[in-house]
Amino acid sequence: MTGAASGLRIAAVLPCYRVADKVLGVIARIGPECSAIYAVDDCCPEQSGDRIAADCADPRVQVLRHDANQGVGGAVLTGMRAALADGADIIIKIDGDGQMDPALIPLFTAPIAAGRADYVKGNRFFSPEDARGMPRGRLLGNLALSFMTKLSTGYWQLFDPNNGYVAIDARVAAYLPFDKIARRYFFESDMLFRLGTLRARVIDLPMRAVYDGENSSLNPVKMVPHFFGRHTVNTFKRITYSYFLRDFSVASIELVVGSLMLLFGLLFGGTTWIINMQAGVATPIGTVMLAVLPILMGLQFMLAFIGYDIASAPSEPIGPLLGHTVRQPGER
């Protein structure tokens, strides 16, 4: 069901940076289901905003401009703020480089309109045939980043976390801490982390991306180590908040006990082995078992915790619970 048919106001946000030669074609392909289009010129050196303002006659289009480059996340958040202020019900983000098919917009917005999801994101790995068409660098980078994102967000069922084709319920978007969300390459992953803290339901939508020989801006060799640090911080925040501040369950006990037993077994076993090796004596079987047993039990507790964490992924949308009054980001 399209936005027009359902009575919902769907707004499209297009970050514009070095896309002056393609963005007009993307806008032309956005169907009538969208009632507003926000093209955000992120201090584009090609003056994408001027190009759109001069050559695009679509009355739905508003050009927003940044005086300094803020990255894709900053551009998306600027467009989201404008869409929320104008009363949008669903906000969809689509890149201006032509890699994302605007014909898929009704598919992205339908689960939200039907009250089955709060956030819908693309998944280019659903079909093996589609994955084969992806440049090798992007494929390897996404495989590594997908696993780290599962840990840091709690959305274990999701894949392709850096896919930027997304749609969000405006009622949920209004509760996001816009001032804390990462602005650049980590934007998509950080958005999922923030949605996880709200217990929003996120689903994948199978899609195909179009690659026209352009070089990927995501260099796995350089970005994965950087993302690893950010994901580690978010993982610690998520677990602390979900299992010790907002709630305390049997999984919390499993995590603490499992961690302590693993730590004890590794430290005791490693220290004993080093001391005995330096002394030139064999480590007694009893001492070995005293180290191995806590490690095995700790692993069992940790596996139980991970199983609980996977099973507790959000399964119900929160948008309908937030009411129909959309607040501005940052309001309390």
Side-chain angles (χ1 to χ4, degrees):
M1 182 179 295
T2 65
S6 65
L8 296 176
R9 294 161 291 183
I10 299 176
V13 174
L14 278 74
C16 298
Y17 188 78
R18 297 188 184 278
V19 295
D21 58 335
K22 296 181 179 179
V23 67
L24 290 174
V26 174
I27 292 174
R29 294 163 58 200
I30 296 178
E33 63 274 1
C34 289
S35 59
I37 301 172
Y38 301 90
V40 185
D41 184 333
D42 192 25
C43 195
C44 176
E46 299 173 354
Q47 286 79 47
S48 297
D50 292 342
R51 179 79 173 272
I52 296 169
D55 298 336
C56 182
D58 192 326
R60 299 175 297 172
V61 177
Q62 296 184 40
V63 178
L64 308 175
R65 304 174 190 273
H66 286 168
D67 294 331
N69 180 265
Q70 298 184 27
V72 62
V76 173
L77 294 175
T78 293
M80 280 188 175
R81 287 183 186 274
L84 289 173
D86 291 341
D89 296 302
I90 300 175
I91 304 169
I92 186 158
K93 178 260 183 180
I94 180 170
D95 287 341
D97 58 7
Q99 290 187 23
M100 300 173 181
D101 186 0
L104 296 178
I105 291 177
L107 297 180
F108 274 85
T109 57
I112 299 174
R116 295 190 290 109
D118 298 307
Y119 189 81
V120 180
K121 56 172 288 297
N123 181 359
R124 296 162 292 182
F125 292 84
F126 186 80
S127 168
E129 288 73 21
D130 294 339
R132 290 193 192 103
M134 181 176 293
R136 189 178 300 273
R138 295 187 183 190
L139 181 62
L140 295 176
N142 272 285
L143 289 173
L145 294 173
S146 290
F147 181 72
M148 289 190 286
T149 303
K150 292 174 185 289
L151 286 171
S152 67
T153 67
Y155 289 113
W156 291 90
Q157 79 282 11
L158 300 181
F159 210 68
D160 195 13
N162 288 89
N163 192 316
Y165 204 161
V166 301
I168 186 170
D169 188 326
R171 295 170 298 188
V172 177
Y175 276 80
L176 291 171
F178 278 33
D179 57 332
K180 296 181 180 179
I181 299 175
R183 294 308 200 252
R184 300 191 180 275
Y185 290 115
F186 199 62
F187 169 70
E188 290 86 1
S189 297
D190 206 31
M191 177 69 82
L192 289 173
F193 165 71
R194 303 295 174 181
L195 289 167
T197 63
L198 295 177
R199 300 289 298 170
R201 186 175 188 227
V202 180
I203 64 173
D204 272 344
L205 181 74
M207 62 166 287
R208 292 185 176 182
V210 179
Y211 299 103
D212 192 23
E214 75 283 349
N215 294 323
S216 172
S217 59
L218 178 64
N219 185 324
V221 176
K222 295 181 179 179
M223 298 309 300
V224 169
H226 169 71
F227 278 22
F228 178 80
R230 300 291 298 269
H231 279 300
T232 299
V233 172
N234 280 357
T235 299
F236 178 78
K237 289 180 179 179
R238 178 180 76 85
I239 291 177
T240 301
Y241 180 64
S242 298
Y243 290 98
F244 298 101
L245 296 180
R246 183 168 60 187
D247 190 18
F248 190 88
S249 64
V250 65
S252 308
I253 299 174
E254 290 170 343
L255 177 61
V256 172
V257 174
S259 299
L260 291 176
M261 295 187 76
L262 269 175
L263 182 62
F264 170 79
L266 291 172
L267 289 178
F268 176 78
T271 301
T272 302
W273 178 75
I274 292 174
I275 293 174
N276 289 340
M277 183 183 65
Q278 292 175 343
V281 298
T283 303
I285 297 298
T287 304
V288 173
M289 292 304 300
L290 190 58
V292 171
L293 186 60
I295 292 176
L296 293 177
M297 293 183 64
L299 286 173
Q300 290 294 323
F301 276 112
M302 295 300 292
L303 288 174
F305 166 76
I306 293 174
Y308 184 98
D309 194 47
I310 293 173
S312 65
S315 59
E316 295 292 334
I318 63 169
L321 302 178
L322 300 179
H324 295 281
T325 301
V326 175
R327 68 176 190 174
Q328 288 300 299
E331 289 183 2
R332 294 291 184 267

